């Protein structure tokens, strides 16, 4: 009797363990992304590049 219960419990455990689990993606990706800052399309982009080059030259970054 105990061996039958053990077999049934083992089968039930294996069936439950082998069931696929669904994962859902985020609804909105833009909420999780940071602001891009100054992009190459901006009029002031050259200032961003200039400041970056000066920081790299003096080792400030």
């Amino acid at each position: 009797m105990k061996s039958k219960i053990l077999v049934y419990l083992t089968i039930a455990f294996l069936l439950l363990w082998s069931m696929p689990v669904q994962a859902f993606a985020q609804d909105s990706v833009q909420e999780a992304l940071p602001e891009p800052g100054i992009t190459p399309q901006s009029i002031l982009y050259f200032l961003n590049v200039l400041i970056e080059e000066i920081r790299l030259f003096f080792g400030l970054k």
Side-chain angles (χ1 to χ4, degrees), residues 13-32:
F13 174 74
L14 290 175
L15 286 175
L16 289 175
W17 187 67
S18 64
M19 294 177 81
V21 177
Q22 276 187 323
F24 297 100
Q26 284 182 311
D27 292 336
S28 176
V29 176
Q30 290 182 347
E31 291 177 0

Side-chain angles (χ1 to χ4, degrees), residues 4-5 19 26 30 34 39 44 47 53 56-57:
K4 273 188 174 181
I5 293 174
M19 294 177 81
Q26 284 182 311
Q30 290 182 347
T39 61
L44 300 174
L47 288 175
E53 290 294 326
L56 289 173
F57 180 76

